[in-house]
């Protein structure tokens, strides 16, 4: 059983999202994505509970810089198909979905831009398909086991999301994350309320479509018996051996994945990475600093182009 976003987005959302919708079948599910521009591919990956709309202010500048920009909606979010059974959503399953799309598009030389759950799921893809990856950009995410930070050990809101009844009630029926949660996780809330909130609410219109918003938090390892523990141990180990060119960007005001804890840890795992570069932004930093982030990525890739041309 599945639900759809109802392809009728509000007019105000459509005006900000003028891109041609494209669809691919990945592991039996219908995945929506946009594919704009020409050149080396830059793949922009969202997390919970957003969709490709999060990157609307970044697509144009990156395309103008001579890049091909692909923005998938994770299965369960945005305009992609939304399975309504929890077993459809696992870390490995979502990594496999991205793998299927990248192979269908036959992409190589990918710059992978990861945010939130786009981190552990998409970095898993990267570490398993390094021949397809050119570079990484990491923003407000994590890639190691056990509670990522103190925030994720608190009874409210995090441990309540793991509760069998409270999590579905708050995040599903009352859209605590898809509505209020995103609003509270940007700096300019007034602007967000007027220009963006409707886009996230329209993509997750009912409790059934919001399944993944409360399933994902349950995959965060809180103890040594967690089902995802080995996956995160593997990911941290593989990432620490990676030599892929990497850029770290973080929101100064992020309270969920605070810069002092998370960007520092990524720098320890990836000492060769550029950054961390701080921009205005809470957890959904793209909402406050999208064009600035696009410019930072453009400069990063321009430097990489120059370095590779010199070697050539």
């Amino acid at each position: 059983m599945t639900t759809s976003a109802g392809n009728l987005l509000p007019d105000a959302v459509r005006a900000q999202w003028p891109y041609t919708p494209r669809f691919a079948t990945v592991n039996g599910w219908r995945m929506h994505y946009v594919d704009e521009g020409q050149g080396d591919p830059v793949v922009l990956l969202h997390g919970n509970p957003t969709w490709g709309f999060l990157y609307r202010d970044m697509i144009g500048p990156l395309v103008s810089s001579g890049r091909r920009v692909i923005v998938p909606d994770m299965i369960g979010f945005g305009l992609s198909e939304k399975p309504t059974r929890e077993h459809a959503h696992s870390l490995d399953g979502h990594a496999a979905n991205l793998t299927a799309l990248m192979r269908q598009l036959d992409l190589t030389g990918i710059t992978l831009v990861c945010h939130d759950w786009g981190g552990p799921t998409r970095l898993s893809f990267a570490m398993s398909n390094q021949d397809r990856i050119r570079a990484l950009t990491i923003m407000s995410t994590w890639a190691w086991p056990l509670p990522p930070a103190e925030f994720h050990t608190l009874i409210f809101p995090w441990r309540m999301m793991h509760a069998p009844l409270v999590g579905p009630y708050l995040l599903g029926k009352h859209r605590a994350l898809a509505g209020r949660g995103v609003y509270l996780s940007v700096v300019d809330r007034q602007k967000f309320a007027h220009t963006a909130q409707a886009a996230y609410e329209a993509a997750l219109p009912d409790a059934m479509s919001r399944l993944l918003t409360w399933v994902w938090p349950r995959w965060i390892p809180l103890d040594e018996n967690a089902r995802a523990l080995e996956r995160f141990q593997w990911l941290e180990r593989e990432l620490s051996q990676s030599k892929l060119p990497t850029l770290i960007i973080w929101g100064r005001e992020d309270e969920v994945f605070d810069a002092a804890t998370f960007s520092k840890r990524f720098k320890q795992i990836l000492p060769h990475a550029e950054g961390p570069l701080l921009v205005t932004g809470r957890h959904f930093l793209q909402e406050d600093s999208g064009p600035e982030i696009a410019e930072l990525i453009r400069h990063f890739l321009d430097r990489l182009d120059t370095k590779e041309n010199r070697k050539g």
Side-chain angles (χ1 to χ4, degrees):
M1 186 176 180
T2 66
T3 69
S4 69
N7 297 321
L8 299 176
L9 295 171
D11 290 343
V13 174
R14 285 185 174 277
Q16 300 177 75
W17 190 252
Y19 307 108
T20 301
R22 303 176 190 273
F23 293 89
T25 299
V26 298
N27 301 314
W29 307 111
R30 190 169 185 253
M31 176 179 279
H32 168 262
Y33 66 99
V34 300
D35 189 344
E36 301 286 326
Q38 302 292 326
D40 294 332
V42 179
V43 181
L44 307 176
L45 303 168
H46 70 87
N48 184 14
T50 56
W51 56 288
F53 185 81
L54 182 67
Y55 289 102
R56 66 195 178 281
D57 293 332
M58 296 174 56
I59 296 173
L62 289 171
V63 168
S64 297
S65 74
R67 313 289 173 183
R68 178 184 176 187
V69 180
I70 296 107
V71 192
D73 288 347
M74 186 183 297
I75 295 297
F77 284 128
L79 304 184
S80 290
E81 192 170 5
K82 297 180 177 65
T84 57
R85 293 184 178 179
E86 186 173 349
H87 77 269
H89 300 295
S90 67
L91 290 177
D92 289 346
H94 282 285
N97 292 338
L98 181 65
T99 301
L101 179 65
M102 298 296 96
R103 289 179 177 173
Q104 285 186 45
L105 297 178
D106 195 24
L107 295 184
T108 57
I110 300 168
T111 295
L112 207 61
V113 180
C114 305
H115 174 257
D116 190 74
W117 275 102
T121 57
R122 280 34 181 162
L123 290 172
S124 291
F125 158 75
M127 294 301 98
S128 299
N129 297 270
Q130 294 195 44
D131 57 324
R132 292 184 180 270
I133 307 299
R134 182 192 189 200
L136 302 172
T137 295
I138 297 172
M139 304 186 295
S140 292
T141 187
W142 90 106
W144 47 85
L146 298 183
E150 183 181 358
F151 175 88
H152 303 96
T153 68
L154 300 176
I155 293 177
F156 186 84
W158 216 255
R159 287 188 181 271
M160 290 190 71
M161 295 181 190
H162 287 247
L165 297 178
V166 176
Y169 179 77
L170 290 178
L171 277 72
K173 184 174 181 180
H174 288 282
R175 67 183 187 196
L177 192 56
R180 191 71 174 170
V182 182
Y183 171 82
L184 292 174
S185 296
V186 300
V187 173
D188 191 342
R189 293 170 180 168
Q190 183 175 6
K191 177 184 176 183
F192 175 81
H194 283 93
T195 64
Q197 188 153 11
Y200 301 115
E201 293 182 353
L204 298 172
D206 53 50
M208 293 294 284
S209 68
R210 291 191 284 270
L211 171 71
L212 194 49
T213 67
W214 55 266
V215 167
W216 268 137
R218 296 181 175 187
W219 279 89
I220 294 179
L222 297 183
D223 56 48
E224 294 184 353
N225 297 315
R227 56 184 169 178
L229 184 68
E230 291 185 2
R231 165 56 62 185
F232 278 96
Q233 290 172 333
W234 171 86
L235 180 56
E236 181 180 19
R237 183 171 62 251
E238 292 297 311
L239 199 60
S240 68
Q241 298 172 11
S242 170
K243 301 302 180 184
L244 289 169
T246 301
L247 175 65
I248 302 171
I249 303 174
W250 230 263
R252 291 186 189 90
E253 295 86 357
D254 193 350
E255 298 158 328
V256 179
F257 293 89
D258 65 281
T261 301
F262 288 83
S263 64
K264 180 179 179 181
R265 181 73 178 273
F266 271 113
K267 188 69 174 181
Q268 292 171 340
I269 295 173
L270 297 162
H272 67 280
E274 295 188 25
L277 305 179
L278 301 181
V279 300
T280 297
R282 287 192 166 90
H283 183 55
F284 297 102
L285 62 164
Q286 300 94 324
E287 286 292 340
D288 290 296
S289 297
E292 181 181 355
I293 295 169
E295 189 70 1
L296 292 173
I297 294 172
R298 182 182 73 81
H299 284 302
F300 169 61
L301 294 177
D302 285 348
R303 290 192 297 274
L304 190 56
D305 289 340
T306 300
K307 188 180 299 184
E308 291 177 351
N309 288 337
R310 286 175 179 170
K311 288 182 179 179

